[in-house]
Amino acid sequence: MRLSTRGRYAIRAASNLAGRKNDGPVALKTIAREEHIPPRYLEQLMNRLRRSGILQSSRGPGGGYSLTRPPADITLGEIVSAIEGRVAVAGCVKPDRRKNCRIENTCASRLFWANLSRMIQAVMDSVTLQELIDGNWQKKNMSALFQDWTLP
């Protein structure tokens, strides 16, 4: 499974804002330059993050983007979900695709893909922007997320 460029760029852009503490709004051009993301592409991502309530924008001189909440209150899963939807390692486990699967009820691997997708989403939902920029996510006991894992 590979996270798309959109998801990775969105996390980088949000991390850039999170690392600035309370510097106020940051211009899109500044983030694009610092993160090596094409400005037009970044603008699309920032608009999605703004519509999802993760970012706010302000116009005019001194305007730009800022986080709506402290970085400790925003998870990587929230960012990726705003850009790409919930994680699905196989197309057949995406909510909008299930109705197109002809062998859903007899497929031996579908349940595995669904649970793997839930596990990846759970890990992303457990890591905050603050933990990412501080490097503290590496100290988390991720296995604790799955100790009582049960099938749906």
Side-chain angles (χ1 to χ4, degrees):
M1 188 216 129
R2 183 174 171 199
L3 185 63
S4 78
T5 301
R6 290 186 319 232
R8 292 190 321 270
Y9 281 1
I11 289 173
R12 283 176 35 199
S15 297
N16 183 294
L17 292 173
R20 294 176 180 277
K21 306 292 181 206
N22 296 321
D23 289 351
V26 181
L28 183 105
K29 284 188 211 178
T30 301
I31 299 167
R33 184 181 67 248
E34 291 175 359
E35 298 298 328
H36 305 284
I37 301 172
R40 285 184 171 219
Y41 194 61
L42 181 60
E43 186 174 19
Q44 294 171 17
L45 300 176
M46 300 300 257
N47 283 332
R48 282 189 184 183
L49 293 174
R50 183 184 50 76
R51 285 192 302 269
S52 71
I54 296 169
L55 301 182
Q56 59 190 7
S57 63
S58 55
R59 295 179 180 256
Y65 291 91
S66 58
L67 299 172
T68 58
R69 293 172 278 146
D73 295 341
I74 299 171
T75 68
L76 302 186
E78 185 180 358
I79 294 167
V80 171
S81 292
I83 298 298
E84 302 190 31
R86 301 293 283 178
V87 171
V89 298
C92 64
V93 296
K94 280 188 162 289
D96 59 333
R97 287 264 191 77
R98 284 183 59 194
K99 60 185 172 230
N100 295 333
C101 182
R102 288 178 267 163
I103 61 168
E104 176 182 355
N105 296 325
T106 59
C107 179
S109 61
R110 186 185 175 289
L111 187 57
F112 174 79
W113 299 130
N115 280 301
L116 181 60
S117 297
R118 287 178 44 214
M119 290 173 147
I120 292 169
Q121 187 70 51
V123 169
M124 290 194 312
D125 287 343
S126 76
V127 178
T128 68
L129 271 177
Q130 191 67 55
E131 290 170 328
L132 183 70
I133 64 173
D134 291 345
N136 293 340
W137 67 271
Q138 298 174 38
K139 298 173 187 162
K140 291 186 98 158
N141 180 6
M142 297 292 180
S143 63
L145 291 172
F146 309 112
Q147 284 178 346
D148 295 321
W149 197 261
T150 56
L151 297 176

